[in-house]
């Protein structure tokens, strides 16, 4: 027997658990982690180099602890794209929206407190809850993966969680949550506790509908979290952010590590924010490819969940893991999120999507033969 994690005096809630992570396999077509398939445009790469060179000149100093310039630009981006005004004091940024979520749970969750999510959804919400000592409650969905709002409101009334997560568009299922449903859950959460409602909009730029940012008006216990990892094609940058009442921004600063956002990260993100126009053009292409995947998978006879994201959930398979392996045998890596009978494919370039569609077309032939 080799000495392992469980031989160390680790916290009880970490015993027997595995770290988060999709397999990073070296195959020709990788459509498993919802990344943007397009590398950053060359002009932006140049601008990043310039901005980072500039930042390098003062790396002997700690970075701007409050990331004022970056938060100001993020606020402008949110205002421009949603029509709802947010300012510097409404925005907070961290190393990926996962860190934003961790800071929110450190602030509003923690030992003796609980958080709820409606599953299947983004598994990191539950994992970060566990990591921060927050109890996790798995709330219900309908069979079609929409949130069962009355049942969800009852679960909130019963458990009185401190934090409520709503992911829209949802990962891994792809469907967006209507604003009325989010409002109903917010009302239920306020009546029960009151508690914080965190709306994870990691994929909102790919949505047919609008951001829920305007719901922030008059709702100080609502938080919208966003990321540059998906639509901006900058997963490697690690930049996530939130918009909320200024009091929420003040509160998370109680738990953030000092100087958590490096000067290099801030410089890179600022460069990317100068190129949002070009980056959002790729988003339009990906949305069209996403819609094509939905249509072609349906034409092949697969059951497809409505998607407002850059990925599509499809099935139904008697054995999803076996189907995942057979698609992989054809050089295409998709994701088995553990949703029974379903797999998830990220919209890639047209060529990658063609390779994926060829693979599932053959799979269909085999399975009906
Ligand atoms: C990918 C994803 C994120 C992004 O995490 P980052 O830390 O910003 O890369 C957040 N929420 C959901 C639901 C996601 O799928």
């Amino acid at each position: 027997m080799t000495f392992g994690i469980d031989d160390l005096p680790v916290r009880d809630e970490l015993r027997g658990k595995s770290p988060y992570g999709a397999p990073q396999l070296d195959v020709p077509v990788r459509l498993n982690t919802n990344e943007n398939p397009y590398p950053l445009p060359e002009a932006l790469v140049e601008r990043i180099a310039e901005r980072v060179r500039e930042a390098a000149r003062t790396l002997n100093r700690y970075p701007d602890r409050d990331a004022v310039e970056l938060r100001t630009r993020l606020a402008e981006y949110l205002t421009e794209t949603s029509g709802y005004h947010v300012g510097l004091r409404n925005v907070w940024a961290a190393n990926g929206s996962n860190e934003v979520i961790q800071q929110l749970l450190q602030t509003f969750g923690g030992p003796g407190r609980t958080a709820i999510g409606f599953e299947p959804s983004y598994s990191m919400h539950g994992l970060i809850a566990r990591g921060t000592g927050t109890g996790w409650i798995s709330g219900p969905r309908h069979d079609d993966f929409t949130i069962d709002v009355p049942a969800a409101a009852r679960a909130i009334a019963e458990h009185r969680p401190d934090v409520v997560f709503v992911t829209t568009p949802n990962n891994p299922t792809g469907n967006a949550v209507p604003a009325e449903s989010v409002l109903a859950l917010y009302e239920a959460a306020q009546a029960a506790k009151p508690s914080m409602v965190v709306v994870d909009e990691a994929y909102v730029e790919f949505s047919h509908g609008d951001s829920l940012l305007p719901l922030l008006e008059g709702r100080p216990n609502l938080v919208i979290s966003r990321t540059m990892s998906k639509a901006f094609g900058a997963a490697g940058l690690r930049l996530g952010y939130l918009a909320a009442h200024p009091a929420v921004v003040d509160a998370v600063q109680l738990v953030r590590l000092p100087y958590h956002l490096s000067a290099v990260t801030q410089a890179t993100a600022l460069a990317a924010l100068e190129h949002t126009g070009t980056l959002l053009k790729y988003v339009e292409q990906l949305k069209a490819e996403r819609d094509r995947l939905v249509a072609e998978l349906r034409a092949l006879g697969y059951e497809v969940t409505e998607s407002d994201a850059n990925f599509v959930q499809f099935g139904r398979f008697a054995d999803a893991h076996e189907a995942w392996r057979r698609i992989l045998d054809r050089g295409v890596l998709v994701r088995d999120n553990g949703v029974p009978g379903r797999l998830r494919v990220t919209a890639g370039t047209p060529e990658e999507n063609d390779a994926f569609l060829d693979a599932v077309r053959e799979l269909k032939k085999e399975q009906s033969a």
Side-chain angles (χ1 to χ4, degrees):
M1 285 306 261
T2 56
F3 188 89
I5 295 177
D6 290 344
D7 301 309
L8 293 168
V10 294
R11 289 159 46 192
D12 292 338
E13 59 269 40
L14 301 180
R15 290 193 178 277
K17 296 292 187 303
S18 346
Y20 174 89
Q24 292 190 310
L25 301 179
D26 190 16
V27 296
V29 180
R30 287 191 294 177
L31 301 174
N32 69 328
T33 50
N34 298 345
E35 290 153 330
N36 191 315
Y38 296 106
L40 298 179
E42 202 47 38
L44 171 51
V45 171
E46 285 307 315
R47 187 66 184 127
I48 290 172
E50 266 172 41
R51 282 250 189 193
V52 169
R53 190 178 307 115
E54 190 80 8
R57 298 210 166 91
T58 50
L59 279 185
N60 57 315
R61 301 289 177 190
Y62 281 112
D64 175 7
R65 191 173 48 212
D66 297 330
V68 169
E69 188 186 1
L70 175 59
R71 286 163 57 212
T72 304
R73 276 298 299 130
L74 287 167
E76 283 166 12
Y77 167 72
L78 291 177
T79 303
E80 282 158 18
T81 48
S82 72
Y84 177 72
H85 179 79
V86 291
L88 164 68
R89 294 182 59 241
N90 300 106
V91 174
W92 181 244
N95 296 282
S97 53
N98 279 304
E99 189 179 52
V100 170
I101 290 161
Q102 182 176 55
Q103 292 178 344
L104 287 168
L105 283 165
Q106 286 175 322
T107 308
F108 300 105
R113 294 185 160 217
T114 59
I116 191 171
F118 306 99
E119 296 182 313
S121 189
Y122 187 48
S123 60
M124 281 310 300
H125 295 155
L127 285 173
I128 299 171
R130 186 177 300 128
T132 58
T134 313
W136 180 250
I137 300 156
S138 179
R141 274 181 194 262
H142 287 120
D143 289 344
D144 67 359
F145 304 107
T146 56
I147 295 182
D148 182 341
V149 176
R154 279 197 301 277
I156 290 170
E158 182 193 336
H159 298 287
R160 304 179 63 239
D162 300 278
V163 181
V164 177
F165 284 100
V166 182
T167 309
T168 180
N170 189 44
N171 179 15
T173 60
N175 53 311
V177 184
E180 312 81 75
S181 303
V182 175
L183 281 176
L185 298 175
Y186 184 86
E187 292 311 322
Q190 300 322 298
K193 193 89 183 187
S195 42
M196 298 302 293
V197 175
V198 179
V199 175
D200 187 335
E201 283 197 339
Y203 299 97
V204 75
E205 283 95 341
F206 299 101
S207 181
H208 296 99
D210 296 327
S211 166
L212 297 182
L213 277 167
L215 298 189
L216 290 176
E217 192 63 42
R219 293 187 184 83
N221 291 353
L222 187 66
V223 181
I224 310 251
S225 93
R226 305 279 288 260
T227 179
M228 293 175 77
S229 292
K230 309 290 166 43
F232 280 31
L237 163 62
R238 309 309 301 132
L239 201 289
Y241 54 106
L242 65 74
H245 190 280
V248 174
V249 175
D250 292 343
V252 292
Q253 297 196 30
L254 299 171
V255 301
R256 62 110 169 83
L257 295 173
Y259 316 110
H260 69 299
L261 263 189
S262 87
V264 172
T265 298
Q266 294 187 38
T268 309
L270 278 164
L273 285 162
E274 291 174 15
H275 286 252
T276 53
T278 326
L279 296 172
L280 293 176
K281 274 190 209 125
Y282 292 128
V283 167
E284 287 309 311
Q285 288 179 36
L286 287 167
K287 286 166 74 172
E289 281 296 302
R290 178 266 325 273
D291 290 340
R292 178 169 80 96
L293 284 173
V294 170
E296 298 216 15
L297 282 164
R298 283 193 177 140
L300 286 170
Y302 286 103
E303 228 177 278
V304 181
T305 312
E306 219 52 70
S307 176
D308 273 282
N310 66 336
F311 56 84
V312 177
Q313 176 178 264
F314 65 105
R316 197 180 282 194
F317 300 101
D319 182 345
H321 198 73
E322 171 64 13
W324 175 84
R325 209 188 44 73
R326 291 211 204 176
I327 296 170
L328 182 59
D329 287 343
R330 293 179 169 86
V332 182
L333 180 59
V334 297
R335 186 73 174 266
D336 176 7
N337 289 88
V339 180
R342 306 296 207 287
L343 294 174
R344 188 192 74 189
V345 61
T346 306
T349 62
E351 298 72 30
E352 289 172 327
N353 299 333
D354 285 341
F356 161 75
L357 287 166
D358 285 345
V360 289
R361 197 171 288 120
E362 285 171 35
L363 182 69
K364 196 83 194 175
K365 270 188 212 142
E366 276 174 23
Q367 295 193 327
S368 50

